[in-house]
Amino acid sequence: PHYNVGVTYWRNSERTRAFVDTWLETRNLPIGRWAEQGHFNDMIAAPEWADMFHPCDPRYNATVNVNMVRARQ
């Protein structure tokens, strides 16, 4: 899955700050199609960070043509 980082909530902890610092270091890497979202998604898939991320319900995480969410009827 692809997670959109347009709105995120963070717990203020040493480990969170380490994650964000590491993520910000990716600003100088090639950005590709997903820019900072791509780097974020790569990081949360890594074992050292995976347990820090808790996705919200998919209806709040829709990305056009990636993980589409049906509109409510």
Side-chain angles (χ1 to χ4, degrees):
H2 175 89
Y3 296 102
N4 188 326
V5 297
V7 175
T8 57
Y9 297 92
W10 305 88
R11 176 172 287 151
N12 185 6
S13 71
E14 188 173 317
R15 191 159 178 239
T16 300
R17 289 188 295 276
F19 176 90
V20 172
D21 288 343
T22 302
W23 183 34
L24 290 176
E25 289 172 8
T26 68
R27 289 180 294 185
N28 297 322
L29 298 175
I31 60 172
R33 177 180 179 194
W34 296 112
E36 78 287 350
Q37 290 184 47
H39 296 300
F40 178 89
N41 280 269
D42 291 344
M43 286 180 64
I44 63 171
E48 66 264 34
W49 305 114
D51 66 326
M52 292 183 62
F53 179 73
H54 305 283
C56 59
D57 188 288
R59 69 178 167 226
Y60 302 112
N61 191 45
T63 300
V64 176
N65 298 323
V66 177
N67 47 325
M68 302 293 288
V69 176
R70 289 187 333 155
R72 290 185 185 187
Q73 304 204 356

